[in-house]
Amino acid sequence: MPWLAHYNKRFMSLSAPSLASSESIARYEPVIGLEVHVQLATATKIFCGCPTSFGAPPNANVCPVCLGLPGALPVLSRQAVDLAVKAALALNCAIRPQSRFARKNYFYPDLPKGYQISMYDEPLAEHGYVDIVVEGVPKRIGVTRVHMEDDAGKSIHEGFRDSSRYSYVDLNRSGTPLIEIVSEPDMRSSAEAYAYLTEVKQTLQFIEVSTCDMEKGHLRCDANVSVRLKGAEQFGTRAEVKNLNSFRFLKLALEYEIARQVALVESGGRVEQETRLYNPDTGETAGMRSKEHAHDYRYFPEPDLLPLRLGKEWLAGIQASMPELPARKRERFTAEYGLREYDVEVLTANRAIAEYFETAATVSGDPKTAANWVMGDLMGLLKAEGKEISESPVSARQLGELVGLVAKGEVSGKLAKEIFGKMFSSGESAGAIVERDGLKQISDAGALEKTIADVIANNPKQVEQYRGGKATVLNFLVGQAMRATRGQANVAVVTELFKQKLG
């Protein structure tokens, strides 16, 4: 029986194990560590010049190096090193002055060389950390190491007429540059793991090390999880959970695995050290194979690559290119602009949004109002048209100009909405639209005298009610004046004129 058919049969035949009750789970403490694999945003592969573009025909982006043909020698990409170092610095790691590539030996159909070029005892960087906040409680998660490696190809087990008997191999991904970020086992809940992975992803996107597109496999995550009684010092036996290709699946898989392990321990059983797969269709994990140890891979130094030494000038150049990180930007937006925590989270969701907002805030001179426009009107129209903020027809400077016109009283808030719609559809500036369509706010009392007189003459009943003490009628009269001026009148001036005329 072919391996895949045998595996699928075994996987489908496993009955769901009993899970622990919430009362039992409450007596235990999960211990979680994550291994995050991130594809670097390089144009070419790590050891050859083949493109890393996604979606090419199968086995098109390959050469003798990434196919592992005899005699082909790897040449390390400097761009990949630059991006890997940026990632390590952003994760607060110490960069080693020398790191070394090693061969990690294992055999799989999509690994043409029979080994993966990775790093073992001399990684690129070590001893970092990521700060997270869960339910208002801050916590620091340690980063054990960041190392570089090349990716394997892709085995395709379904989608073909004979997929029940055969697996297909696409080697386009073979040799694409990866970093692996290994955390300390510092997480104690699925919520903390979710927050950690979210912060890592956002940080790497901010510094443009990777797109972190999980649908394209640019960010993949494996979780190591064990359980122990609360108060115990010794870790339990851990299982590694793979196939976590979304944040939601990470959380669900961890919660299932914690409940499974607690049930095993409570029933007198033993957790096996193994690699398990998460099945999104059933919401369960299932055993795949026994967990390998480092010696199983027979690591030894890569003989075709020299040790990687980062000189002081090289490292200083990378450090100088680092942008402001999201954690620091969140702190600054709160302190400098007085924004609410929720607003700051939205405005720093990615670097493009943060930079757009800050430009609009600076141009307008009114950061809080600029933030409301970005999060409300702008994002609403972009979402409706399926566009990213980088594709916005209204530039940050143009939005800032519009907000500034409102702040200076040259355009009313109501008219600003109309002007913004025209800006979004045409790409024109607010000033050009105001000038062309005659939309400038009317604040001159003399210019509004006739409008006020007409409203008073046409609404004698409401005027009598106001003079009789019903103050709320003033809102109706102001509304009539605003309608007569197509929203161009200054509301404050109109209100004051009515009070003077009817006092």
Side-chain angles (χ1 to χ4, degrees), residues 39-160:
Q39 181 174 324
L40 300 175
T42 57
T44 58
K45 296 184 180 180
I46 187 170
F47 298 122
C48 66
C50 291
T52 56
S53 54
F54 183 82
N59 300 305
N61 295 343
V62 294
C63 73
V65 173
C66 49
L67 289 174
L69 299 183
L73 295 175
V75 177
L76 179 60
S77 162
R78 184 184 180 104
Q79 184 189 16
V81 175
D82 287 346
L83 294 180
V85 172
K86 285 181 73 173
L89 291 173
L91 298 172
N92 305 293
C93 292
I95 309 299
R96 292 173 56 95
Q98 174 177 300
S99 53
R100 188 188 298 270
F101 285 97
R103 290 189 180 181
K104 180 181 180 180
N105 298 273
Y106 63 96
F107 298 96
Y108 209 71
D110 57 20
L111 190 68
K113 298 189 297 290
Y115 60 87
Q116 181 183 22
I117 300 178
S118 183
M119 289 176 169
Y120 178 48
D121 54 350
E122 297 181 69
L124 179 72
E126 300 171 303
H127 313 308
Y129 63 86
V130 172
D131 289 328
I132 64 171
V133 178
V134 176
E135 296 181 354
V137 180
K139 184 172 183 179
R140 177 162 290 182
I141 307 299
V143 173
T144 309
R145 57 189 277 150
V146 175
H147 64 258
M148 303 177 69
E149 60 189 19
D150 63 348
D151 204 353
K154 183 178 181 181
S155 294
I156 305 168
H157 304 307
E158 56 186 24
F160 298 93

Side-chain angles (χ1 to χ4, degrees), residues 31-37 104 180 182 220-226 236-244 250 253-254 257 260-261 271-278 285-293 297:
V31 177
I32 301 166
L34 298 186
E35 298 172 6
V36 182
H37 303 262
K104 180 181 180 180
E180 182 174 348
V182 182
R220 309 193 294 273
C221 179
D222 301 331
N224 292 293
V225 55
S226 64
T237 303
R238 64 186 171 94
E240 181 185 37
V241 184
K242 288 184 175 290
N243 200 32
L244 306 177
L250 167 69
L254 286 174
E257 186 60 20
R260 184 190 73 87
Q261 291 190 20
V271 176
E272 298 291 336
Q273 183 165 317
E274 61 179 345
T275 297
R276 299 178 68 84
L277 280 181
Y278 176 68
T285 66
M288 177 184 177
R289 60 174 182 263
S290 61
K291 175 63 179 169
E292 302 88 347
H293 296 276
Y297 292 116

Side-chain angles (χ1 to χ4, degrees), residues 414-434:
K414 182 178 180 180
L415 271 180
K417 303 283 186 180
E418 179 184 335
I419 294 167
F420 182 74
K422 294 179 178 181
M423 292 169 66
F424 196 89
S425 60
S426 68
E428 293 179 277
S429 69
I433 294 170
V434 168

Side-chain angles (χ1 to χ4, degrees), residues 118-317:
S118 183
M119 289 176 169
Y120 178 48
D121 54 350
E122 297 181 69
L124 179 72
E126 300 171 303
H127 313 308
Y129 63 86
V130 172
D131 289 328
I132 64 171
V133 178
V134 176
E135 296 181 354
V137 180
K139 184 172 183 179
R140 177 162 290 182
I141 307 299
V143 173
T144 309
R145 57 189 277 150
V146 175
H147 64 258
M148 303 177 69
E149 60 189 19
D150 63 348
D151 204 353
K154 183 178 181 181
S155 294
I156 305 168
H157 304 307
E158 56 186 24
F160 298 93
R161 286 183 300 176
D162 50 1
S163 290
S164 61
R165 296 183 297 134
Y166 298 105
S167 292
Y168 286 72
V169 175
D170 180 4
L171 295 176
N172 280 343
R173 199 172 69 187
S174 178
T176 55
L178 301 179
I179 53 170
E180 182 174 348
I181 303 164
V182 182
S183 82
E184 294 287 335
D186 290 343
M187 289 158 267
R188 296 294 178 264
S189 69
S190 61
E192 288 185 4
Y194 187 100
Y196 169 84
L197 188 60
T198 299
E199 188 68 23
V200 168
K201 178 185 177 183
Q202 186 182 28
T203 298
L204 298 183
Q205 288 176 324
F206 250 78
I207 61 176
E208 298 177 343
V209 159
S210 173
T211 63
C212 295
D213 189 336
M214 297 187 85
E215 290 185 0
K216 296 180 179 178
H218 294 177
L219 186 147
R220 309 193 294 273
C221 179
D222 301 331
N224 292 293
V225 55
S226 64
V227 296
R228 62 183 178 186
L229 282 170
K230 287 184 176 177
E233 293 185 7
Q234 187 174 349
F235 289 167
T237 303
R238 64 186 171 94
E240 181 185 37
V241 184
K242 288 184 175 290
N243 200 32
L244 306 177
N245 57 5
S246 79
F247 283 72
R248 179 171 173 269
F249 290 164
L250 167 69
K251 200 167 186 296
L252 293 174
L254 286 174
E255 290 170 356
Y256 176 88
E257 186 60 20
I258 290 165
R260 184 190 73 87
Q261 291 190 20
V262 169
L264 271 174
V265 174
E266 287 280 285
S267 65
R270 186 179 66 178
V271 176
E272 298 291 336
Q273 183 165 317
E274 61 179 345
T275 297
R276 299 178 68 84
L277 280 181
Y278 176 68
N279 184 346
D281 295 329
T282 63
E284 302 169 357
T285 66
M288 177 184 177
R289 60 174 182 263
S290 61
K291 175 63 179 169
E292 302 88 347
H293 296 276
H295 64 260
D296 293 323
Y297 292 116
R298 296 178 293 117
Y299 282 101
F300 64 87
E302 169 57 68
D304 294 333
L305 289 167
L306 293 170
L308 174 60
R309 295 187 177 93
L310 284 165
K312 291 183 179 179
E313 290 185 6
W314 188 357
L315 185 57

